[in-house]
Amino acid sequence: MDKNITDKDLEKMQDEYMEKFGNYPVAEFENLSAIQMNNLVEDFLGEKSPIKLYKDIDSQVLDQIPLLQMVIRYMEIVEREKGAIKLTTAGYIPPKLVKEIYESGFILDPYIESGEVKLNKELDCMIVELVKVLCILAEVVVEDGNKLVLTELGKELMKNRVELLNVIFTVYNKELNWSYFDGCGENMGLQSNYAFMLYLVKKLGRKKLNLDIYINKFNRGLPSVFEDFQGFSGEDSLTEKELDYKYTFYSRFIERALGYFNLVNVYMKNENTIIIEKTDIFDKIVEFSKS
């Protein structure tokens, strides 16, 4: 590249390219245009994004979204406790209420269910801690001294479950630090590009497909995510990096970001073969607009 080209010149060239070719389908983006792909990733769930949640969602569909139901149950418990939960001296939800939140049964923890972990306190259950953090980030519950207090916004959103879903879905994907809840390192490239995975499932999920197909298509469109990925197994080989990447991809995208909202069904053929399909409610929740 000419060393005399300035950043301003480069930006102008990019703008001219996008104006001329930006609306053409790109095979690597699974036929999204460059403009659509940019809006999808950079303005995820925003006005320009081709992916949004529907504004009108049937009540029976909302009943089938586990994380939403668990958030509602948590907020109902706070409301029942006269609008505030008094925390333990260490700053955690009291054990009795932790068990009540978890035993709502909307999302189960395999370690607790297997008996490997005994549920005695908040930190024993990742999903209860997740719900607590989500509600604080969404400002439907706030920390006030040694209490968790239901806000006026929280009270309003309890009456509007569609809007509450929109808020929780947005906060989960755009504000929550996914890496806090697993041992897979920061590796924020997956989270910041989650919108493309959501699009892939929207487009391809009617068929039962191997997880590897999604990984390959995701990497084809966004190769830098894998290139920048830092393995965490302690091995430097490409094989180990690929295994770490696949585990993180599955854990963060499939099991949690999609699974917690009941957007995918997962079938395990064997320990190396994972089959994915979108659920019946996916297309009743997630909207795609070409414009």
Side-chain angles (χ1 to χ4, degrees):
M1 182 179 289
D2 189 340
K3 293 183 179 179
N4 294 320
I5 293 180
T6 65
D7 289 342
K8 188 173 182 180
D9 292 332
L10 184 59
E11 184 177 342
K12 182 180 178 183
M13 291 166 61
Q14 290 173 333
D15 289 344
E16 289 174 348
Y17 177 88
M18 289 294 278
E19 184 175 350
K20 188 172 183 180
F21 301 108
N23 286 310
Y24 285 78
V26 179
E28 289 80 2
F29 299 157
E30 203 60 30
N31 289 328
L32 288 176
S33 69
I35 290 175
Q36 285 177 312
M37 185 65 164
N38 183 71
N39 290 340
L40 180 69
V41 172
E42 298 298 327
D43 192 36
F44 180 38
L45 302 175
E47 287 192 14
K48 294 182 180 179
S49 175
I51 286 279
K52 297 182 179 69
L53 300 189
Y54 282 108
K55 294 180 180 178
D56 185 19
I57 301 174
D58 189 89
S59 180
Q60 291 182 336
V61 172
L62 295 172
D63 290 342
Q64 298 177 66
I65 304 175
L67 189 54
L68 173 65
Q69 293 304 315
M70 202 157 190
V71 164
I72 291 171
R73 183 64 187 131
Y74 170 68
M75 293 169 69
E76 287 174 343
I77 290 171
V78 178
E79 184 178 47
R80 184 195 70 199
E81 300 294 310
K82 299 181 179 179
I85 290 177
K86 185 176 180 181
L87 301 173
T88 66
T89 53
Y92 298 112
I93 298 172
K96 180 181 177 181
L97 297 183
V98 169
K99 291 178 181 179
E100 185 177 355
I101 295 165
Y102 177 73
E103 288 171 0
S104 63
F106 295 110
I107 301 175
L108 299 178
D109 185 313
Y111 296 104
I112 293 173
E113 294 303 303
S114 68
E116 188 174 340
V117 173
K118 188 173 181 180
L119 181 56
N120 291 316
K121 57 187 184 300
E122 180 183 321
L123 294 183
D124 292 333
C125 184
M126 182 276 285
I127 189 63
V128 171
E129 188 179 7
L130 169 63
V131 168
K132 174 185 172 184
V133 171
L134 270 180
C135 286
I136 290 172
L137 289 174
E139 298 182 349
V140 295
V141 174
V142 296
E143 290 185 276
D144 184 6
N146 70 333
K147 294 181 180 180
L148 290 170
V149 180
L150 188 65
T151 65
E152 290 302 317
L153 174 62
K155 293 174 185 176
E156 287 301 312
L157 290 179
M158 287 179 73
K159 303 171 188 175
N160 187 341
R161 294 194 301 165
V162 174
E163 185 58 30
L164 179 59
L165 171 63
N166 220 307
V167 169
I168 295 301
F169 193 83
T170 301
V171 168
Y172 184 95
N173 292 300
K174 298 178 73 171
E175 296 184 39
L176 180 73
N177 184 344
W178 290 1
S179 68
Y180 177 78
F181 292 96
D182 61 36
C184 301
E186 283 294 318
N187 288 314
M188 297 301 290
L190 287 170
Q191 180 172 355
S192 59
N193 292 286
Y194 169 61
F196 186 49
M197 181 59 185
L198 200 63
Y199 167 73
L200 291 176
V201 177
K202 177 74 172 175
K203 181 179 180 182
L204 307 171
R206 194 172 298 279
K207 294 181 179 179
K208 293 180 180 179
L209 297 176
N210 194 309
L211 174 63
D212 290 341
I213 293 175
Y214 283 104
I215 292 176
N216 291 336
K217 287 182 177 292
F218 185 89
N219 291 349
R220 185 184 181 209
L222 298 164
S224 64
V225 177
F226 178 74
E227 290 167 6
D228 295 340
F229 182 83
Q230 298 294 314
F232 48 82
S233 61
E235 300 289 338
D236 294 329
S237 70
L238 177 60
T239 299
E240 289 299 323
K241 178 178 177 178
E242 288 173 343
L243 288 173
D244 288 349
Y245 183 81
K246 183 174 182 177
Y247 174 82
T248 307
F249 194 101
Y250 174 78
S251 176
R252 293 185 181 178
F253 279 165
I254 308 304
E255 183 178 33
R256 297 181 181 180
L258 292 165
Y260 286 172
F261 291 93
N262 194 16
L263 298 178
V264 291
N265 292 319
V266 179
Y267 306 93
M268 309 289 288
K269 279 196 169 182
N270 54 57
E271 61 181 19
N272 296 315
T273 306
I274 300 170
I275 305 299
I276 308 298
E277 70 171 347
K278 64 182 175 182
T279 61
D280 292 339
I281 72 169
F282 188 109
D283 292 322
K284 298 173 183 177
I285 296 172
V286 181
E287 177 184 14
F288 174 75
S289 171
K290 292 183 179 180
S291 58

